[in-house]
Amino acid sequence: MSEIDIYIYLIDDKEANHILKFFNETPTGTRKTTTATLEQKKQHIKKIFKSMTPKMIRQRRKGHPDPFYTYINSQNIIKENAESFSDQVLLLNEERKNIPDYIRFINLLLTFPEETRIRLDTIDQNIREGIDPLNFDEKIKTVEELKEFIRKYRSYIGENAPSKIIEVLEDYQFDEYSSLLKKCKDQIKNYDLLRFYNQSEEIYKMFGLPISHAAYIITHQDEEHDILMLLAIEAMYELLKNQSEYAISGLEKKLDEELGKTQDEKQGLENLLKTKDTEILNLETELTKINKSLKLDSKEREEFKKQLNDWELKYNKQEKKFERTLEEHERSETKLKNDLGNQIDILKKEMNIKKIIELERVNKYKTEYSFNTEWGIICLTDYDWVKEIYPELTIVHADSKMEIKNLLNNPDIKTVYLLMKGLSTKQFKVIKQEIEKYNKVYKGIEFESYKEFVEWIGYMKTMERKGVL
């Protein structure tokens, strides 16, 4: 088959409709595209690509380009940036579950046209045998070849890892991120690494470290990979640190509010003391006036003195009471400062410990090999822990209809184990009916503890590798 014949053979009904709409054509003998069969659509598309319909004949006479390449070049097909035909085939084969075969074929044809045309007979034979059309026995033969392949094409550890990290961090930036990033790129696009380093303090003040590093990575793709990777990691760390500081600033704000309330109460007591001082002063002044105006005798004078002494004693008691109240407020204020300070220190320690634990946990559960099974697990309880320990296995949450559907649509999965723990009777019946509808083998499992569940999964994996299951 030719490249056109192969492409037309691989397309589905949806793509056939899209092609006919693109050229504004309707299959011969039908009034509407929707009423035609897929075979009728393919026959008409073949005539379009070979410029055999009246409309295509007129257009080719007017000098229009080849319709087949006009169409495939117009489609928004993501092309993997592989350096060789073999690497391109490996990348496309990894994505076979996510990308239709006709798109993989176009991708390979447009990226490596000559190498693809040489293998058209092999593609044709693969189609006839019912295997992957792009099966050319392209395999990685040594560990060194595998390491080189991973470095080139894996998102977070390959050659494009710095740019990929910066792209992911964009989702966690503030609203002005895009405009500041553009300004920063315009400013530093002609800087070399030495100038960027020497002026980094000034650049950080203007744009912040994450934006500055992102701008340098984007505008200096030819810089050494290790340097760009370090800049990306530092930008990611700075963004995480800023988010932690934001949480701490919340506690500090609460501390300031509480201290403000205490200060207001203290000021109120001091104002009250001043008021009492003024009242006593007024009484003393009034007594002096009375003594002068009435010329009181000694007895009356003694009575007024006694009254004045009583007032002074009362004042002294109130003053001591207010002083004790002030001391209590000061002690409360000091205690509040110490308590909130301790909370802030504990939060900082917990955040650092959590980072270390999370990093260690991720590293502990990483696997350095791929692992495929013919069974999957549906569970409600213990899902997050089990998924973290066995990320390579097909484990889905009982509440996620989409995950369950994807598991049941997976042709590699033959048996589905359903963990009964935590499931309601209604959930169990619905999930069981769904499994049976997809003709999968259903098996219910129950364990007394999470530990037994994890050990059972480890046993199943061991048996799978040994070929027992």
Side-chain angles (χ1 to χ4, degrees):
M1 289 192 289
S2 67
E3 55 205 63
I4 293 177
D5 294 331
I6 291 173
Y7 175 70
I8 293 175
Y9 179 85
L10 294 175
I11 63 174
D12 54 22
D13 193 65
K14 181 179 179 181
E15 179 65 6
N17 291 337
H18 188 272
I19 297 171
L20 293 170
K21 183 177 180 181
F22 179 86
F23 290 102
N24 194 22
E25 293 255 10
T26 303
T28 304
T30 61
R31 294 184 177 182
K32 294 181 179 180
T33 301
T34 54
T35 62
T37 64
L38 178 58
E39 186 59 32
Q40 287 176 315
K41 295 173 186 178
K42 287 185 175 183
Q43 291 298 326
H44 194 79
I45 290 170
K46 184 180 294 187
K47 292 179 181 180
I48 293 173
F49 286 160
K50 293 184 177 182
S51 301
M52 295 173 63
T53 66
K55 184 177 180 180
M56 288 298 106
I57 292 172
R58 290 194 300 270
Q59 289 186 356
R60 292 308 298 275
R61 286 175 179 174
K62 293 178 181 179
H64 285 220
D66 178 85
F68 175 65
Y69 280 95
T70 299
Y71 176 75
I72 63 174
N73 280 306
S74 70
Q75 303 310 298
N76 186 22
I77 299 172
I78 299 175
K79 300 178 182 178
E80 298 289 351
N81 190 23
E83 295 180 358
S84 67
F85 179 82
S86 297
D87 287 352
Q88 185 76 1
V89 172
L90 289 171
L91 287 171
L92 290 173
N93 287 345
E94 285 184 351
E95 294 295 326
R96 192 183 183 196
K97 292 182 179 179
N98 304 318
I99 303 176
D101 289 342
Y102 65 86
I103 292 181
R104 294 167 59 234
F105 173 68
I106 290 177
N107 189 298
L108 194 63
L109 180 63
L110 293 177
T111 309
F112 294 93
E114 295 304 322
E115 293 88 338
T116 304
R117 292 189 181 101
I118 292 174
R119 293 167 174 81
L120 289 180
D121 289 342
T122 302
I123 296 173
D124 182 15
Q125 185 64 30
N126 289 342
I127 291 174
R128 297 179 188 279
E129 294 177 1
I131 61 176
D132 182 4
L134 303 187
N135 181 7
F136 304 128
D137 291 328
E138 299 288 348
K139 296 181 180 178
I140 297 175
K141 299 178 178 60
T142 66
V143 173
E144 291 303 319
E145 288 181 0
L146 176 59
K147 289 180 179 179
E148 183 64 22
F149 182 80
I150 291 174
R151 290 191 191 99
K152 289 181 180 178
Y153 306 116
R154 287 296 181 266
S155 296
Y156 297 105
I157 57 175
E159 295 177 353
N160 296 323
S163 298
K164 184 64 178 178
I165 292 173
I166 294 303
E167 180 182 336
V168 171
L169 292 182
E170 289 182 5
D171 295 335
Y172 303 92
Q173 299 287 1
F174 48 89
D175 295 338
E176 295 82 8
Y177 173 79
S178 297
S179 59
L180 288 176
L181 179 63
K182 184 178 184 302
K183 291 179 182 178
C184 188
K185 287 193 297 184
D186 292 339
Q187 179 172 328
I188 69 170
K189 61 184 178 182
N190 295 322
Y191 286 16
D192 58 16
L193 183 60
L194 180 60
R195 184 178 178 187
F196 178 76
Y197 174 77
N198 289 334
Q199 298 185 14
S200 59
E201 184 174 352
E202 177 184 347
I203 298 172
Y204 293 165
K205 287 181 180 179
M206 295 174 61
F207 304 104
L209 186 146
I211 291 179
S212 303
H213 285 197
Y216 189 86
I217 291 170
I218 293 171
T219 56
H220 294 75
Q221 291 293 308
D222 56 345
E223 184 62 78
E224 291 184 16
H225 180 268
D226 290 346
I227 297 297
L228 297 182
M229 194 66 187
L230 288 172
L231 292 175
I233 292 172
E234 191 172 7
M236 181 169 57
Y237 170 77
E238 184 71 14
L239 185 62
L240 289 172
K241 185 178 73 172
N242 291 341
Q243 292 180 344
S244 300
E245 291 174 350
Y246 178 77
I248 294 173
S249 68
L251 284 176
E252 292 175 342
K253 182 179 179 181
K254 182 179 179 181
L255 173 61
D256 292 339
E257 291 174 353
E258 294 297 329
L259 292 178
K261 292 178 182 178
T262 304
Q263 191 65 31
D264 291 341
E265 293 177 359
K266 181 179 178 182
Q267 186 64 42
L269 291 172
E270 291 176 349
N271 292 337
L272 184 58
L273 282 174
K274 290 179 181 179
T275 301
K276 294 300 180 182
D277 288 338
T278 303
E279 291 177 359
I280 292 173
L281 181 61
N282 291 337
L283 287 172
E284 291 175 345
T285 303
E286 188 66 26
L287 180 60
T288 302
K289 289 180 181 179
I290 292 173
N291 287 334
K292 289 180 179 180
S293 61
L294 299 177
K295 297 179 181 179
L296 299 173
D297 57 25
S298 60
K299 184 178 180 179
E300 290 175 329
R301 199 181 299 272
E302 287 299 324
E303 289 179 356
F304 276 105
K305 283 184 178 179
K306 184 175 181 293
Q307 187 178 5
L308 179 61
N309 288 333
D310 291 341
W311 287 338
E312 287 180 351
L313 289 173
K314 185 178 180 180
Y315 167 75
N316 289 334
K317 288 181 180 179
Q318 289 181 339
E319 185 178 30
K320 289 179 180 179
K321 182 179 178 181
F322 285 127
E323 287 176 353
R324 287 195 298 271
T325 305
L326 279 174
E327 289 176 358
E328 290 176 0
H329 275 282
E330 288 174 353
R331 286 194 296 271
S332 298
E333 180 180 337
T334 301
K335 185 176 183 301
L336 180 61
K337 287 181 179 178
N338 292 335
D339 290 345
L340 290 176
N342 291 335
Q343 289 182 31
I344 291 174
D345 292 339
I346 291 171
L347 178 59
K348 289 179 179 178
K349 291 178 181 178
E350 288 178 350
M351 293 173 68
N352 290 333
I353 292 172
K354 184 177 179 181
K355 288 179 184 177
I356 294 172
I357 291 174
E358 289 297 327
L359 180 60
E360 183 65 20
R361 182 187 299 160
V362 171
N363 290 334
K364 287 288 185 183
Y365 295 148
K366 279 184 178 177
T367 58
E368 298 180 355
Y369 59 89
S370 61
F371 187 82
N372 296 319
T373 66
E374 293 184 351
W375 49 273
I377 300 174
I378 301 175
C379 62
L380 181 64
T381 59
D382 303 325
Y383 168 79
D384 293 331
W385 288 97
V386 175
K387 188 69 175 176
E388 187 173 272
I389 295 175
Y390 297 108
E392 73 276 11
L393 297 180
T394 306
I395 302 173
V396 303
H397 199 284
D399 286 339
S400 176
K401 295 181 180 179
M402 181 60 70
E403 290 184 5
I404 293 175
K405 185 174 181 181
N406 290 339
L407 181 146
L408 298 176
N409 278 323
N410 187 342
D412 296 332
I413 299 299
K414 309 300 182 185
T415 304
V416 179
Y417 292 96
L418 179 59
L419 181 64
M420 308 301 293
K421 182 180 178 182
L423 285 179
S424 66
T425 303
K426 182 179 179 181
Q427 278 182 302
F428 166 72
K429 290 181 178 179
V430 171
I431 296 174
K432 184 174 181 293
Q433 290 174 357
E434 194 71 14
I435 294 173
E436 292 172 346
K437 184 169 71 176
Y438 281 83
N439 295 322
K440 305 288 185 180
V441 177
Y442 151 78
K443 292 185 180 180
I445 53 176
E446 290 190 74
F447 302 96
E448 293 184 359
S449 66
Y450 168 72
K451 179 175 179 291
E452 287 187 8
F453 185 25
V454 173
E455 290 176 345
W456 178 81
I457 294 176
Y459 169 78
M460 293 295 289
K461 282 188 61 181
T462 302
M463 294 299 98
E464 183 95 12
R465 283 198 297 268
K466 291 181 178 181
V468 176
L469 297 178

